[in-house]
Amino acid sequence: MSLNRSRIRTTVGAAVACAAAAAAGVLAPAPASATSAALPPVHAGFDYQIGGAYTPPSGVRVVSRDHSASPAPGLYNICYVNAFQTQKTGQPGGPDDWPSDLLLKNDDGDVIIDTDWDEAILDITTEKKREGIAERIDAQIDECAAKGFNALELDNFDTFTRDVVEGRITEEHAQTYIRMLSAYGHGKGLAVGQKNTVELAGNHAANGLDFAIAEECGNPDYNECADYVAEFGDHAIFIEYTNAGMKNACEYGDRVSVVQRDRDVLPKGEDGYVRKTCP
């Protein structure tokens, strides 16, 4: 089961990332194909259920669930796929289930692990590797489409910003790869959401990303909600994990979908479950 709690914001320096991109000789690809798929209804009741499915509360019209789950009947369903990292070590889809050559390695040849989540980083630095990784992720997208989901949530687009990557993956690598996935998703009739990564929100149309799913944009340390609205308009979903973040995100609650969840995104009924909406 994928479980993406809020992602800790650790970023490499811009100079390091730019130098790595130049060294890699990455060229910007052609824009991903547009979609005719229906986008999530704006300003709709939303529930984030990637930690486990349960009956959506009254008033919910949009739900995000893991690709291993089934869609919620009668609602708009977003399918969560961990597209840039493996699952946790020891879990199905973890590092041991991936070919070693598709996992990013450090200078000593060791697989790089995002220790915050115990997930290996997928190596999207070459065309051949991107194709090999995309083939596996496309199989999960096929699963989403076959089950009747309406859209995709491709998580960890912002992996390139993390300190542990040390600039080995650049924003151009990330965009080249996500265009492959968004084009494939569009071909399956799915809308595709941009997960976090506000620094690339201005490129969302070229990247084939149709709406935003943003965690903690209301966090006072980030204050990014306005940036998402500026680029995506009302086609945004905000997920907060703190009262302070929720207060800030709810400034846009008359335009976009906003929900507060517990950081473990627990199913309703489990100890620690939290779900709040704007007043």
Side-chain angles (χ1 to χ4, degrees), residues 197-217:
T197 327
V198 70
E199 55 269 60
L200 297 181
N203 298 345
H204 73 90
N207 288 330
L209 302 172
D210 309 307
F211 63 98
I213 301 179
E215 293 175 294
E216 295 194 286
C217 71

Side-chain angles (χ1 to χ4, degrees), residues 203-263:
N203 298 345
H204 73 90
N207 288 330
L209 302 172
D210 309 307
F211 63 98
I213 301 179
E215 293 175 294
E216 295 194 286
C217 71
N219 185 315
D221 292 336
Y222 312 137
N223 285 318
E224 297 169 342
C225 295
D227 298 325
Y228 284 106
V229 171
E231 295 297 341
F232 290 91
D234 296 349
H235 292 288
I237 296 169
F238 295 161
I239 303 156
E240 298 297 330
Y241 300 102
T242 67
N243 292 334
M246 188 65 172
K247 180 180 179 181
N248 290 335
C250 283
E251 292 182 11
Y252 303 90
D254 61 341
R255 297 183 56 183
V256 306
S257 300
V258 184
V259 71
Q260 182 177 346
R261 289 298 330 266
D262 54 278
R263 288 192 180 275

Side-chain angles (χ1 to χ4, degrees), residues 19-240:
V26 179
L27 299 177
S33 59
T35 182
S36 59
L39 302 187
V42 300
H43 188 221
F46 174 73
D47 202 12
Y48 205 39
Q49 298 190 2
I50 64 171
Y54 53 91
T55 301
S58 176
V60 168
R61 296 170 57 200
V62 181
V63 171
S64 184
R65 290 179 171 176
D66 188 79
H67 69 90
S68 63
S70 296
L75 303 183
Y76 187 101
N77 286 269
I78 301 170
C79 192
Y80 173 96
V81 173
N82 192 358
F84 286 75
Q85 301 187 181
T86 71
Q87 295 304 99
K88 292 180 180 292
T89 301
Q91 290 185 346
D96 291 342
D97 289 342
W98 281 82
S100 177
D101 65 322
L102 298 182
L103 303 180
L104 191 68
K105 298 179 177 65
N106 61 23
D107 293 341
D108 294 327
D110 299 323
V111 172
I112 294 176
I113 301 293
D114 181 347
T115 54
D116 290 321
W117 310 109
D118 197 20
E119 298 171 353
I121 309 296
L122 299 177
D123 187 350
I124 57 171
T125 59
T126 70
E127 181 178 0
K128 182 178 180 180
K129 290 182 178 185
R130 286 190 291 271
E131 289 175 349
I133 294 167
E135 182 178 355
R136 286 170 161 255
I137 300 301
D138 286 349
Q140 296 182 32
I141 295 174
D142 289 341
E143 181 181 11
C144 297
K147 288 181 174 181
F149 281 91
N150 305 100
L152 294 173
E153 174 185 351
L154 301 174
D155 197 22
N156 288 315
F157 186 25
D158 56 358
T159 291
F160 73 92
T161 69
R162 304 207 175 107
D163 286 342
V164 69
V165 173
E166 295 184 329
R168 292 178 175 85
I169 295 174
T170 69
E171 65 180 44
E172 287 303 328
H173 292 138
Q175 291 180 102
T176 301
Y177 170 61
I178 207 164
R179 291 181 192 198
M180 296 170 64
L181 300 183
S182 64
Y184 189 83
H186 289 161
K188 293 292 179 177
L190 301 168
V192 184
Q194 174 171 320
K195 182 69 174 291
N196 300 327
T197 327
V198 70
E199 55 269 60
L200 297 181
N203 298 345
H204 73 90
N207 288 330
L209 302 172
D210 309 307
F211 63 98
I213 301 179
E215 293 175 294
E216 295 194 286
C217 71
N219 185 315
D221 292 336
Y222 312 137
N223 285 318
E224 297 169 342
C225 295
D227 298 325
Y228 284 106
V229 171
E231 295 297 341
F232 290 91
D234 296 349
H235 292 288
I237 296 169
F238 295 161
I239 303 156
E240 298 297 330

